[in-house]
Amino acid sequence: MAKVQPSVPVQAPAATPVEAVDFRSYFKVETYPHAAVLYRPGDPADRIYLLRTGRVRLMRPGPVLATGAHGKESLHALLRPGDLFGEALRPPEATMEEYAVAQGETEVWSIEGRDLKALVEARPPLALEIIRGLNDKNRALTRRANALTFKEVPARLAETLLVLGETHGERCQHGGEIDLRGITQQDLADLVGASRSFVSTLINEMKRDGLLGNVGRTLCLRQPKELKRLATKDRV
């Protein structure tokens, strides 16, 4: 269950221009524990969210089984602080089609569609920042769709690893590597549209070739240039 923060002055984080505005009179500020569900399929699509701290996983429901139940959810996006998500510009009867799940303790600011309209009217430049944020989301989805269409799984995996390294990677202390903490092989399989066993095989091959390494369960990017070369390969 989310814990609503008291109504006190707060300073927006400085990660992006959209966060440099004083939002306290418009936004609802909430913190969520690990694995808390922010929204689920069927909830009203009437709110935009700004991730301030932590991570959020956007999960698609699994296919409908013969029993009528849904299969296992799959990851389709992993968000970082500064990302916008949710829906507020659809018809009033529209509902969400995905799960948003906190990974670790997470702080999220949200605003209803009617309040978003008032905010944009009060601060017109903010509309451009919101549009940029939503366009970033659309570009990421388009890039993933293009990869699924034009690239083989090894190239898709290399591209996904590089993107995650840029957005979620941490410089490790045992060399010039980039660590991908909290990202599992199943996450990678979901993101590239392949089976976990196939992705595991590819990761082992990349480790053998020196492109990847690991410290415990944390995957490390060791040769980003070689990963980039592999990521540029299209289908033959």
Side-chain angles (χ1 to χ4, degrees), residues 55-69:
R55 290 180 180 175
V56 166
R57 291 168 171 261
L58 299 183
M59 311 288 294
R60 290 289 187 188
V64 178
L65 305 176
T67 60

mmCIF file with all atom_site columns, all heavy atoms in Angstrom, residues 55-69:
data_model
loop_
_atom_site.group_PDB
_atom_site.id
_atom_site.type_symbol
_atom_site.label_atom_id
_atom_site.label_alt_id
_atom_site.label_comp_id
_atom_site.label_asym_id
_atom_site.label_entity_id
_atom_site.label_seq_id
_atom_site.pdbx_PDB_ins_code
_atom_site.Cartn_x
_atom_site.Cartn_y
_atom_site.Cartn_z
_atom_site.occupancy
_atom_site.B_iso_or_equiv
_atom_site.pdbx_formal_charge
_atom_site.auth_seq_id
_atom_site.auth_comp_id
_atom_site.auth_asym_id
_atom_site.auth_atom_id
_atom_site.pdbx_PDB_model_num
ATOM 1   N N   . ARG A 1 55 ? 13.044  2.292   -9.143  1.00 0.00 ? 55 ARG A N   1
ATOM 2   C CA  . ARG A 1 55 ? 12.711  1.774   -10.466 1.00 0.00 ? 55 ARG A CA  1
ATOM 3   C C   . ARG A 1 55 ? 11.262  1.317   -10.485 1.00 0.00 ? 55 ARG A C   1
ATOM 4   O O   . ARG A 1 55 ? 10.696  0.960   -9.460  1.00 0.00 ? 55 ARG A O   1
ATOM 5   C CB  . ARG A 1 55 ? 13.593  0.571   -10.835 1.00 0.00 ? 55 ARG A CB  1
ATOM 6   C CG  . ARG A 1 55 ? 15.054  0.886   -11.105 1.00 0.00 ? 55 ARG A CG  1
ATOM 7   C CD  . ARG A 1 55 ? 15.791  -0.391  -11.455 1.00 0.00 ? 55 ARG A CD  1
ATOM 8   N NE  . ARG A 1 55 ? 17.211  -0.164  -11.725 1.00 0.00 ? 55 ARG A NE  1
ATOM 9   C CZ  . ARG A 1 55 ? 18.075  -1.129  -11.963 1.00 0.00 ? 55 ARG A CZ  1
ATOM 10  N NH1 . ARG A 1 55 ? 17.672  -2.390  -11.971 1.00 0.00 ? 55 ARG A NH1 1
ATOM 11  N NH2 . ARG A 1 55 ? 19.348  -0.858  -12.192 1.00 0.00 ? 55 ARG A NH2 1
ATOM 12  N N   . VAL A 1 56 ? 10.685  1.312   -11.674 1.00 0.00 ? 56 VAL A N   1
ATOM 13  C CA  . VAL A 1 56 ? 9.345   0.771   -11.886 1.00 0.00 ? 56 VAL A CA  1
ATOM 14  C C   . VAL A 1 56 ? 9.393   -0.162  -13.083 1.00 0.00 ? 56 VAL A C   1
ATOM 15  O O   . VAL A 1 56 ? 9.974   0.180   -14.126 1.00 0.00 ? 56 VAL A O   1
ATOM 16  C CB  . VAL A 1 56 ? 8.305   1.882   -12.122 1.00 0.00 ? 56 VAL A CB  1
ATOM 17  C CG1 . VAL A 1 56 ? 7.003   1.307   -12.673 1.00 0.00 ? 56 VAL A CG1 1
ATOM 18  C CG2 . VAL A 1 56 ? 8.028   2.640   -10.821 1.00 0.00 ? 56 VAL A CG2 1
ATOM 19  N N   . ARG A 1 57 ? 8.800   -1.327  -12.912 1.00 0.00 ? 57 ARG A N   1
ATOM 20  C CA  . ARG A 1 57 ? 8.685   -2.285  -14.008 1.00 0.00 ? 57 ARG A CA  1
ATOM 21  C C   . ARG A 1 57 ? 7.289   -2.181  -14.613 1.00 0.00 ? 57 ARG A C   1
ATOM 22  O O   . ARG A 1 57 ? 6.294   -2.208  -13.878 1.00 0.00 ? 57 ARG A O   1
ATOM 23  C CB  . ARG A 1 57 ? 8.875   -3.717  -13.492 1.00 0.00 ? 57 ARG A CB  1
ATOM 24  C CG  . ARG A 1 57 ? 10.290  -4.024  -13.045 1.00 0.00 ? 57 ARG A CG  1
ATOM 25  C CD  . ARG A 1 57 ? 10.353  -5.336  -12.268 1.00 0.00 ? 57 ARG A CD  1
ATOM 26  N NE  . ARG A 1 57 ? 11.723  -5.720  -12.026 1.00 0.00 ? 57 ARG A NE  1
ATOM 27  C CZ  . ARG A 1 57 ? 12.394  -6.616  -12.762 1.00 0.00 ? 57 ARG A CZ  1
ATOM 28  N NH1 . ARG A 1 57 ? 11.775  -7.221  -13.751 1.00 0.00 ? 57 ARG A NH1 1
ATOM 29  N NH2 . ARG A 1 57 ? 13.648  -6.900  -12.503 1.00 0.00 ? 57 ARG A NH2 1
ATOM 30  N N   . LEU A 1 58 ? 7.211   -2.052  -15.939 1.00 0.00 ? 58 LEU A N   1
ATOM 31  C CA  . LEU A 1 58 ? 5.938   -2.114  -16.645 1.00 0.00 ? 58 LEU A CA  1
ATOM 32  C C   . LEU A 1 58 ? 5.787   -3.520  -17.201 1.00 0.00 ? 58 LEU A C   1
ATOM 33  O O   . LEU A 1 58 ? 6.623   -3.973  -17.989 1.00 0.00 ? 58 LEU A O   1
ATOM 34  C CB  . LEU A 1 58 ? 5.893   -1.071  -17.763 1.00 0.00 ? 58 LEU A CB  1
ATOM 35  C CG  . LEU A 1 58 ? 6.024   0.391   -17.324 1.00 0.00 ? 58 LEU A CG  1
ATOM 36  C CD1 . LEU A 1 58 ? 5.880   1.319   -18.527 1.00 0.00 ? 58 LEU A CD1 1
ATOM 37  C CD2 . LEU A 1 58 ? 5.022   0.752   -16.244 1.00 0.00 ? 58 LEU A CD2 1
ATOM 38  N N   . MET A 1 59 ? 4.744   -4.206  -16.771 1.00 0.00 ? 59 MET A N   1
ATOM 39  C CA  . MET A 1 59 ? 4.552   -5.620  -17.085 1.00 0.00 ? 59 MET A CA  1
ATOM 40  C C   . MET A 1 59 ? 3.282   -5.805  -17.915 1.00 0.00 ? 59 MET A C   1
ATOM 41  O O   . MET A 1 59 ? 2.226   -5.241  -17.588 1.00 0.00 ? 59 MET A O   1
ATOM 42  C CB  . MET A 1 59 ? 4.428   -6.440  -15.801 1.00 0.00 ? 59 MET A CB  1
ATOM 43  C CG  . MET A 1 59 ? 5.503   -6.169  -14.764 1.00 0.00 ? 59 MET A CG  1
ATOM 44  S SD  . MET A 1 59 ? 7.117   -6.824  -15.221 1.00 0.00 ? 59 MET A SD  1
ATOM 45  C CE  . MET A 1 59 ? 6.789   -8.599  -15.184 1.00 0.00 ? 59 MET A CE  1
ATOM 46  N N   . ARG A 1 60 ? 3.367   -6.582  -18.968 1.00 0.00 ? 60 ARG A N   1
ATOM 47  C CA  . ARG A 1 60 ? 2.213   -6.938  -19.783 1.00 0.00 ? 60 ARG A CA  1
ATOM 48  C C   . ARG A 1 60 ? 1.586   -8.227  -19.255 1.00 0.00 ? 60 ARG A C   1
ATOM 49  O O   . ARG A 1 60 ? 2.300   -9.169  -18.902 1.00 0.00 ? 60 ARG A O   1
ATOM 50  C CB  . ARG A 1 60 ? 2.625   -7.153  -21.239 1.00 0.00 ? 60 ARG A CB  1
ATOM 51  C CG  . ARG A 1 60 ? 3.016   -5.876  -21.961 1.00 0.00 ? 60 ARG A CG  1
ATOM 52  C CD  . ARG A 1 60 ? 1.816   -5.009  -22.227 1.00 0.00 ? 60 ARG A CD  1
ATOM 53  N NE  . ARG A 1 60 ? 2.167   -3.860  -23.052 1.00 0.00 ? 60 ARG A NE  1
ATOM 54  C CZ  . ARG A 1 60 ? 1.343   -2.864  -23.312 1.00 0.00 ? 60 ARG A CZ  1
ATOM 55  N NH1 . ARG A 1 60 ? 0.127   -2.873  -22.796 1.00 0.00 ? 60 ARG A NH1 1
ATOM 56  N NH2 . ARG A 1 60 ? 1.730   -1.843  -24.068 1.00 0.00 ? 60 ARG A NH2 1
ATOM 57  N N   . PRO A 1 61 ? 0.246   -8.299  -19.199 1.00 0.00 ? 61 PRO A N   1
ATOM 58  C CA  . PRO A 1 61 ? -0.388  -9.557  -18.791 1.00 0.00 ? 61 PRO A CA  1
ATOM 59  C C   . PRO A 1 61 ? -0.038  -10.672 -19.765 1.00 0.00 ? 61 PRO A C   1
ATOM 60  O O   . PRO A 1 61 ? 0.185   -10.433 -20.953 1.00 0.00 ? 61 PRO A O   1
ATOM 61  C CB  . PRO A 1 61 ? -1.888  -9.234  -18.843 1.00 0.00 ? 61 PRO A CB  1
ATOM 62  C CG  . PRO A 1 61 ? -1.973  -7.745  -18.824 1.00 0.00 ? 61 PRO A CG  1
ATOM 63  C CD  . PRO A 1 61 ? -0.731  -7.242  -19.493 1.00 0.00 ? 61 PRO A CD  1
ATOM 64  N N   . GLY A 1 62 ? 0.021   -11.891 -19.250 1.00 0.00 ? 62 GLY A N   1
ATOM 65  C CA  . GLY A 1 62 ? 0.285   -13.036 -20.105 1.00 0.00 ? 62 GLY A CA  1
ATOM 66  C C   . GLY A 1 62 ? -0.927  -13.377 -20.953 1.00 0.00 ? 62 GLY A C   1
ATOM 67  O O   . GLY A 1 62 ? -2.021  -12.844 -20.755 1.00 0.00 ? 62 GLY A O   1
ATOM 68  N N   . PRO A 1 63 ? -0.757  -14.283 -21.917 1.00 0.00 ? 63 PRO A N   1
ATOM 69  C CA  . PRO A 1 63 ? -1.881  -14.674 -22.778 1.00 0.00 ? 63 PRO A CA  1
ATOM 70  C C   . PRO A 1 63 ? -2.970  -15.381 -21.975 1.00 0.00 ? 63 PRO A C   1
ATOM 71  O O   . PRO A 1 63 ? -2.706  -15.964 -20.918 1.00 0.00 ? 63 PRO A O   1
ATOM 72  C CB  . PRO A 1 63 ? -1.228  -15.632 -23.787 1.00 0.00 ? 63 PRO A CB  1
ATOM 73  C CG  . PRO A 1 63 ? -0.008  -16.147 -23.083 1.00 0.00 ? 63 PRO A CG  1
ATOM 74  C CD  . PRO A 1 63 ? 0.484   -15.022 -22.227 1.00 0.00 ? 63 PRO A CD  1
ATOM 75  N N   . VAL A 1 64 ? -4.184  -15.311 -22.477 1.00 0.00 ? 64 VAL A N   1
ATOM 76  C CA  . VAL A 1 64 ? -5.306  -15.976 -21.810 1.00 0.00 ? 64 VAL A CA  1
ATOM 77  C C   . VAL A 1 64 ? -5.191  -17.485 -22.020 1.00 0.00 ? 64 VAL A C   1
ATOM 78  O O   . VAL A 1 64 ? -5.046  -17.965 -23.154 1.00 0.00 ? 64 VAL A O   1
ATOM 79  C CB  . VAL A 1 64 ? -6.649  -15.464 -22.360 1.00 0.00 ? 64 VAL A CB  1
ATOM 80  C CG1 . VAL A 1 64 ? -7.807  -16.206 -21.694 1.00 0.00 ? 64 VAL A CG1 1
ATOM 81  C CG2 . VAL A 1 64 ? -6.773  -13.966 -22.133 1.00 0.00 ? 64 VAL A CG2 1
ATOM 82  N N   . LEU A 1 65 ? -5.217  -18.242 -20.940 1.00 0.00 ? 65 LEU A N   1
ATOM 83  C CA  . LEU A 1 65 ? -5.095  -19.694 -20.998 1.00 0.00 ? 65 LEU A CA  1
ATOM 84  C C   . LEU A 1 65 ? -6.456  -20.343 -21.214 1.00 0.00 ? 65 LEU A C   1
ATOM 85  O O   . LEU A 1 65 ? -7.502  -19.674 -21.170 1.00 0.00 ? 65 LEU A O   1
ATOM 86  C CB  . LEU A 1 65 ? -4.469  -20.207 -19.694 1.00 0.00 ? 65 LEU A CB  1
ATOM 87  C CG  . LEU A 1 65 ? -3.117  -19.583 -19.320 1.00 0.00 ? 65 LEU A CG  1
ATOM 88  C CD1 . LEU A 1 65 ? -2.647  -20.105 -17.971 1.00 0.00 ? 65 LEU A CD1 1
ATOM 89  C CD2 . LEU A 1 65 ? -2.073  -19.851 -20.406 1.00 0.00 ? 65 LEU A CD2 1
ATOM 90  N N   . ALA A 1 66 ? -6.441  -21.649 -21.445 1.00 0.00 ? 66 ALA A N   1
ATOM 91  C CA  . ALA A 1 66 ? -7.694  -22.376 -21.662 1.00 0.00 ? 66 ALA A CA  1
ATOM 92  C C   . ALA A 1 66 ? -8.621  -22.275 -20.456 1.00 0.00 ? 66 ALA A C   1
ATOM 93  O O   . ALA A 1 66 ? -9.844  -22.342 -20.584 1.00 0.00 ? 66 ALA A O   1
ATOM 94  C CB  . ALA A 1 66 ? -7.388  -23.842 -21.979 1.00 0.00 ? 66 ALA A CB  1
ATOM 95  N N   . THR A 1 67 ? -8.061  -22.108 -19.283 1.00 0.00 ? 67 THR A N   1
ATOM 96  C CA  . THR A 1 67 ? -8.858  -21.989 -18.061 1.00 0.00 ? 67 THR A CA  1
ATOM 97  C C   . THR A 1 67 ? -9.527  -20.623 -17.922 1.00 0.00 ? 67 THR A C   1
ATOM 98  O O   . THR A 1 67 ? -10.343 -20.413 -17.035 1.00 0.00 ? 67 THR A O   1
ATOM 99  C CB  . THR A 1 67 ? -7.976  -22.217 -16.826 1.00 0.00 ? 67 THR A CB  1
ATOM 100 O OG1 . THR A 1 67 ? -6.928  -21.230 -16.805 1.00 0.00 ? 67 THR A OG1 1
ATOM 101 C CG2 . THR A 1 67 ? -7.360  -23.602 -16.863 1.00 0.00 ? 67 THR A CG2 1
ATOM 102 N N   . GLY A 1 68 ? -9.129  -19.683 -18.797 1.00 0.00 ? 68 GLY A N   1
ATOM 103 C CA  . GLY A 1 68 ? -9.658  -18.324 -18.692 1.00 0.00 ? 68 GLY A CA  1
ATOM 104 C C   . GLY A 1 68 ? -8.749  -17.387 -17.922 1.00 0.00 ? 68 GLY A C   1
ATOM 105 O O   . GLY A 1 68 ? -8.939  -16.165 -17.962 1.00 0.00 ? 68 GLY A O   1
ATOM 106 N N   . ALA A 1 69 ? -7.758  -17.953 -17.218 1.00 0.00 ? 69 ALA A N   1
ATOM 107 C CA  . ALA A 1 69 ? -6.808  -17.125 -16.475 1.00 0.00 ? 69 ALA A CA  1
ATOM 108 C C   . ALA A 1 69 ? -5.710  -16.628 -17.414 1.00 0.00 ? 69 ALA A C   1
ATOM 109 O O   . ALA A 1 69 ? -5.525  -17.150 -18.518 1.00 0.00 ? 69 ALA A O   1
ATOM 110 C CB  . ALA A 1 69 ? -6.203  -17.927 -15.334 1.00 0.00 ? 69 ALA A CB  1
#
